[in-house]
Amino acid sequence: MLSVILSILIFFTASSAIALGLVRDAFSEDSISDWVEEIDVAEIDISMFSSKYDTVSELLRDFLISQDKWNNLSEKKVELLLKKNSIKDFVEDTLVEYSEFIFEGKSGKGLTTEVIIDFMKENESSFLSTLDPRLDGIRLKFNYDDIEGMLDENLGDALSLRAIKNNNRTAVSVIQFFASSTFNVILWVLCVVFIGLLALLNLKRIQRVFNYVGIPMLILGIILTILYITLSALFG
């Protein structure tokens, strides 16, 4: 009976460690970079988060034209803006920051009004050249007072990493621990300990050790193969 329990624990710790490793790899900086490189930021579907907008480009256009005198901005120009490398770099850096916050416990700013305004100011010339907003033939500039007011009203510090941590300190600490490389090591150590205990219980029946360890590993292998095939079919 004890051997069966140990084999179940071996399966649980090994599968949990592998699953955590896969998740950490999926949200690594390289993986995020590859994902951002392939996506069309303008066409990201946000309908599940918004009852008014289907894509990022629609949201951004409404956001920009809400500035004084910007009502003639076309969605096509917004799409061109969202294809710029600087936008993709900003998306990538932001996602990496959140990933490092969860998996490595690193601090950062996250997506805040201040971060967005600073980013727009750094790239103002390039963005205005692409959008080319005009009124009576005169190119308009960003109205940062309007933009800051809209961001404060709709975003504020809701996605600030400091606010997330302060408002959910216990939950964040628990998530960061279970998502950490330290916990992954603990799982593998426990797996080895359980295998060792199983071997000690069956010193004179070594074939049973292979049976007890082999069967859960075989099941785990089948599950991982099915998962790999499914993910490959979904994401190419």
Side-chain angles (χ1 to χ4, degrees), residues 8-66:
I8 292 172
L9 290 173
I10 291 167
F11 172 78
F12 175 76
T13 52
S15 59
S16 297
I18 292 172
L20 177 55
L22 290 173
V23 172
R24 287 177 58 83
D25 182 65
F27 288 93
S28 68
E29 184 172 351
D30 288 342
S31 296
I32 291 173
S33 179
D34 291 342
W35 178 75
V36 173
E37 185 64 31
E38 293 177 3
I39 64 169
D40 183 349
V41 177
E43 295 302 318
I44 293 178
D45 189 340
I46 58 171
S47 57
M48 87 165 34
F49 307 108
S50 171
S51 59
K52 186 176 179 181
Y53 305 106
D54 291 326
T55 64
V56 170
S57 63
E58 292 176 5
L59 171 63
L60 182 58
R61 180 179 177 276
D62 263 21
F63 173 78
L64 291 172
I65 66 175
S66 61

Side-chain angles (χ1 to χ4, degrees), residues 118-176:
D118 287 346
F119 172 66
M120 292 182 69
K121 287 181 177 179
E122 288 173 9
N123 297 274
E124 182 176 40
S125 178
S126 174
F127 290 173
L128 289 175
S129 177
T130 299
L131 294 171
D132 196 28
R134 292 182 180 272
L135 181 67
D136 297 330
I138 300 174
R139 178 181 286 179
L140 302 173
K141 292 189 176 181
F142 290 126
N143 186 325
Y144 288 109
D145 288 337
D146 284 354
I147 293 173
E148 187 171 353
M150 286 182 288
L151 287 172
D152 283 339
E153 181 180 348
N154 295 286
L155 176 64
D157 289 330
L159 297 179
S160 160
L161 291 180
R162 179 180 295 179
I164 290 173
K165 187 169 185 177
N166 289 341
N167 295 335
N168 308 275
R169 190 172 295 275
T170 301
V172 167
S173 296
V174 170
I175 292 171
Q176 286 179 332

Side-chain angles (χ1 to χ4, degrees), residues 78-89:
V78 173
E79 291 176 1
L80 289 174
L81 173 67
L82 290 170
K83 292 181 185 296
K84 296 183 76 69
N85 288 333
S86 54
I87 295 288
K88 288 199 169 189
D89 289 343

Side-chain angles (χ1 to χ4, degrees), residues 86-101:
S86 54
I87 295 288
K88 288 199 169 189
D89 289 343
F90 178 74
V91 172
E92 179 184 334
D93 291 344
T94 302
L95 292 176
V96 167
E97 195 171 29
Y98 281 102
S99 176
E100 290 180 341
F101 172 73

